[in-house]
Amino acid sequence: MSTTSAASVPLVPQLAALRRAAPVLPVLAVIALLGLPAETDSGATPADAACGLVVLWAVVCTVRGARRPLTRTAAVVLGLPVVGIAVSATGAVTTGDAVTGLARYLQVFVLVPLAIVLLVRDRRDARLVLWALAGLALWQGAVGVRQYLTGTGASYQGAYIRAVGTFGPHDVMGMAAVVAAGVVVLTGLALGTGARRQRLAAAGGALVLLVPLALSFSRGSWIATAVTCGAQLLLAGVRRALKVFAAVTAACVVLVGGFGVGGSVLQERLTSITQVAGAPDQSVVDRYTMWAASVDMWREHPVRGVGLKAFPAYRDSHASLALSSGSDTEGDGQAFRRQPLLSPHNMYMLLLSEQGLLGLLTVAGSWLALLVGALRRLRGAPHARDCALAACGLLLWQLVNFLYSDIGGPSTTVTAVCFGVAAWWSLAGGLAGSTAMCRRPSTAPSLLVAPPLSASPEQGDPPRGGAAHGHSPAPLQGPSGPVAESDPR
C-alpha cells in the first residue's frame, strides 16, 4: 500500500500542470496540426477544424465562468472587422463565395483571436503558446533544410532546392511565414526573459531558424523579419540592439561568405530586392499590375468594394497586358502546374479592392488599435517583457508582411494564432473574465491544484479570478500562527 501511495505522489504535480494548461491545450493542438503535410487541393485542413474546436471551447469556458468575457474596448476592437466583412459579403459574386469568404475572414481576424484572448489567462499560458510556435518553426525549418540539401523541395530556377516544409510546392510561402514567426517569437523571448538558460536557448533557436528562412527564398518574409527583429531590439534597448546587429552581421558573413550557405542563388535573390524598380522579374511585374488593378476596382466601388472573393472575377477587366496568366509551381513529387493569380499579394490592396474603404478602415483599423494597445502595455510592463516583445513582434511582422502577401492556403491558420497572441497582450490587461474562466470558483481544497501555481501570481500578469487565484479567504489563525489546510484544528 505504501508503494502505491509513493508511486502516485509524483503524478500529482503532473496532473496539476496538465489541469492548469487545459484551457490552452486546444490552441496547442492547432499549432501541432500545422506540422502535418498539407494536401495539394484541399480546402479546409485539420488545423482549420481544430480552430472550430478552439472557438467552441472558449464559448464553453465563458459560459461556465459566468462572468462578462470582454471589456467594451476589447469588444469594439475585435468586433470592428465584422462590419466591413459582413457588408462586403453581400456584394460577392456567388453565394458560395460569400459564405466561404465570410467564414475565412471571421476565422482569421475575429473568432480565433477572440478565443485565444479568452483562453490565455496569464504569462504562463502565453509562454506555452509562444514556445509551441517556436517548436513548429523548428520542425518546419528542419524539413525545409532537408529539402534543400536533398533536392526534394519546390522548384527554383530549374532545381528542387526551395525549402517549403510540409506545406508543399503549392504553398511556397507557408514555411517562410512559420519560420519567420518562430524567429520573431524566439527573439522576443531572448530579449525579455531574465533566466540565462532560457535566454540562450531562445537566442540559439532564433539563429538556427535564419538558415531555413534564407533557404525559403521569400523576399517579403526576409524584409518583414528584418524590420520586426530590428524593432524588437530597439524596444529592448539601443545598446543591446547595436551588439546584436554586430553579432548577426558577423554570423551572416561567416555563413554566406565562409561556408557558402545559399551560394550564388541566395546572393542573386538578395540582389533582386534592390532591382524591383529598375529591372523587376515577372513575379514583381505581376504584383505591380495586380496592385494597379486593385486600385481601379476600388475607384469603381469606393465604399464596399467588389465583394468578398471577387478579385479574380474583376481582375482581367482592370489589369494591363503585362499581367501573366499565372505562376509556375513544381516540386519533388508534384508535377508542373500553372496556378492562377487569384489575389494581388498585398493584404491592404485586397481589402481595398474587395471591401472598399469601409473594409479597409474597419479591418486595418482594428489591427492598428491592437498595435497601439500592445505598444502602450509594453511600456508599462517591466516584468512581462518576454511575452510583450514576442506578441508585439508577431503583430508587427504580420502588418509588414501584408505589404507583400495576403491570407490564403494552409498557413493562414498561423496568422490567426499570431493575431490572437497579439490581441491577448493588447486587450487582456483589462479583462475581468480572461482569467481562470475554465474553473468554477471553489473554496474547497483540491489535490490537483499545486499551491505554488495558485498562491501568488507573477508580477505583470492580469489579475486572476476565482478562489484559487488571489480571492481565497484568509488562512485561519491559531495560537502559534496560520493553520495549514491539512491541520486537524
Side-chain angles (χ1 to χ4, degrees), residues 33-40 136 140 143 147 164-179 334 409-412 414:
L33 289 173
L34 287 168
L36 299 178
E39 298 294 334
T40 303
L136 174 65
Q140 292 288 355
V143 175
Q147 290 170 338
V164 292
T166 63
F167 295 102
H170 58 283
D171 187 10
V172 294
M173 302 297 296
M175 190 213 73
V178 172
V179 170
Q334 176 179 311
S411 60
T412 301
V414 178

Side-chain angles (χ1 to χ4, degrees), residues 429-445:
L431 293 183
S434 65
T435 57
M437 291 191 307
C438 285
R439 302 179 183 177
R440 294 182 181 274
S442 175
T443 57

